[in-house]
Amino acid sequence: MNVCLLVLGLALVLTLCVARSPYQAVLQHSRIRGRQQGPNVCAMQQLKGTDKKYFTNCKQWYHRKICGKPTVITYECCPGYEKIPGEKGCPAALPLVNIYNTLGVVGASTTQMYSERAKLKDEIEGPGSFTFFAPSNEAWAALPTEILDALVSNVNIELLNALHYHMVNRRLTSEELKHGSSFASMYQDFHVHIHHYSNGIVTVNCARLIKPDQHATNGIVHVVDRVITAISNDVHTLLDVDDDLETLRTAMAAAGLTAMLENEGQYTIFAPTNEAFEKIPQETLNRILGDPVALRDLLNYHILKHMQCAESIVSGTPMETLQGTMLEVGCDGDQMTLNGKAIITKKDQLGTNGVVHYINELLIPDSAKVLLELAEGSSVATATRLFVQAGLTPHLTGSEALTMLAPLDDAFKGSLTMTPDMRKLMTNHILKEQLSSNSLYHGQELETLGGLKLRVFVYRNNLCIENACIAAHDKTGRYATMFTVDKVLTPPMGTVMDVLKADDRFSLLVGAIQTAGMTELLNQQGALTFFAPTNNAFNAMSQPDLNRLMRNRQELAGVLRYHLGEGMLVSGGVGSHTRVKPLQGEKLELGVRNYTVYVNKVPVADADLMATNGVVHAVDSIIKPLPPKVDREQADGPAAALRPAASSRAADSKSFRNDDLFQKVVRSRSSRTMNQ
């Protein structure tokens, strides 16, 4: 079985490597997938409940979906082959006949009938070398009745002209149908426009070739899924003549984009209707229309750099706009989508230099938004509400160069009543300059609207401002930027010693620090990370052990120094195998499990108590060195389920005195740095 899969895989790779075009690549993939059904059989993916079929590529084959809808695998003869009764697969090559007769055997019998009625039969039966983009029978059936009646009521002129527009006076195989090419048709030399997409789909005037490369003695037939019409106007003209696009025309003229749409190119325009503009709050619309920079960004966000027909889309794909950012163009069944929304009301309005798709909702890029609009379009609803309640709306809607630090909704805990302290806190979530996260560096200081200085910490796995780490890509607006952060800021309000004294959980620790003569160390300037034992940690020790430790200043200092790491490490900077050098003893091993930080397998009970000269992380156990042979991968948490807290503390109490390694560490006076 494995050998068969390997052979199939190698055959697939080798065959696709020599494919001459994207269409040939998917055709050959379909041929390989159909090989078990016999020679020259192609596997097709058919949308359930429809007649739409596609040659398949690897991704579609395994996902079994097109435009988000399930598909079924069907098998049929590959182009140019037919079945023989009683034999497996499609062993026989189709006999070469003229184009007229070929139409009858490739699913284009209606085109064959209309060719005869328009007196085109003799031409496509006779000598020559033609390419016929022949509408399928279903394509003719889908044509609006009034258009079809107009064609068949004047077969010698209208119908003949329409059929001639489907013809090129030379043989063009799918390989020669290059992306962006155009060819003069046999109707007054009006061009037909070809697009050969990387997913293997080929279109002519946005009609998909569903049965390409049907060879004939006097040319070639490509069956297409719709009747195409002659194109004579550029996309600017298409926009100019539709009253439903009046607001868009006015905006285009104001932004100076009219001339661009008259030039040669391959544009895709997602054209907002008048209704789409009317849905925008008048104040927002007036601001954008009155700001040339924002207006140009808005309009360019609706224009792709290349032409994208609706039939070329089989899944969501990010595409670059003229504005410079990405727009996800996708599909849901037969509906084309933008950024996941089915807002396209009219598709494939083709011009000589592009295609227009009508949309009923305006797309506003971040670069045209003020801070409040950036926040309202993100997952920071709680922060947005608090910024407004704090009276900061003028800053969020004005033209100041600012940066907002917006915590995620789940970062907020407890009461969210607007108090003076809460107002001050939210003010300190706005920085006085517009920044990019890419420009931040370790140790940088950032000033808030409240006058505080916030520090930047750069870690291997995170970028943090104080205790809050950036949780999403920047959102850069017209004047300001928004950083989404994972926590509410807790700006430093004093030294490490001040933090400990202000928290009743550390009353025993404060006494121990004073006994050990380390008060000055924790008050002086610097950058320390203190895994601070709470009262619970000390109370877990037996009273004799605690008394002995408190009487031995040297031993006590050693224990405390082992809990003090060099440098600032907030919880967001801890990775799976982070090491911290303590002021005394072997390195501390840190990790994260289930959103909890562990230090030498001891969980941090409360992280990120920020100080001007460090950060405090509360631990409910005295930290001891890991045994030398312990697998370091276990350092990010207990190997088995954690013991109940009470039994854990009892065990710590019993083992504290007898842990020779720990005694050795805490009693030694390290030859390394012991600055106080």
Side-chain angles (χ1 to χ4, degrees), residues 16-48:
L16 297 183
C17 285
V18 299
R20 294 166 294 181
S21 68
Y23 164 70
Q24 289 293 331
V26 296
L27 173 63
Q28 291 175 16
H29 181 269
S30 294
R31 184 188 291 270
I32 289 171
R33 294 298 181 185
R35 182 176 294 169
Q36 292 184 346
Q37 307 300 315
N40 306 312
V41 174
C42 282
M44 308 289 290
Q45 285 196 269
Q46 182 174 352
L47 280 172
K48 284 185 178 180

Side-chain angles (χ1 to χ4, degrees), residues 487-594:
K487 295 182 182 69
V488 178
L489 279 172
T490 54
M493 304 307 293
T495 65
V496 168
M497 199 64 193
D498 293 332
V499 170
L500 298 176
K501 285 181 177 180
D503 194 325
D504 290 340
R505 293 175 298 173
F506 301 115
S507 59
L508 294 179
L509 176 61
V510 169
I513 292 168
Q514 292 169 342
T515 299
M518 295 174 59
T519 304
E520 183 182 350
L521 172 65
L522 300 182
N523 274 325
Q524 68 187 20
Q525 288 187 347
L528 296 170
T529 299
F530 198 175
F531 299 99
T534 62
N535 293 346
N536 289 338
F538 287 103
N539 290 333
M541 299 170 58
S542 68
Q543 195 62 44
D545 285 342
L546 181 58
N547 292 339
R548 180 190 55 78
L549 181 63
M550 291 300 180
R551 286 196 299 267
N552 189 332
R553 178 174 175 177
Q554 181 177 340
E555 183 176 334
L556 179 60
V559 171
L560 296 179
R561 285 176 172 278
Y562 189 62
H563 288 70
L564 277 164
E566 297 179 358
M568 288 275 295
L569 180 63
V570 300
S571 61
V574 178
S576 57
H577 298 288
T578 302
R579 293 186 174 187
V580 172
K581 181 182 178 184
L583 297 189
Q584 182 170 327
E586 296 298 323
K587 287 184 178 178
L588 298 168
E589 303 243 1
L590 283 77
V592 181
R593 179 175 292 178
N594 296 331

Side-chain angles (χ1 to χ4, degrees), residues 396-409:
L396 306 185
T397 56
S399 57
E400 295 174 86
L402 302 171
T403 300
M404 173 197 288
L405 307 179
L408 292 166
D409 288 340

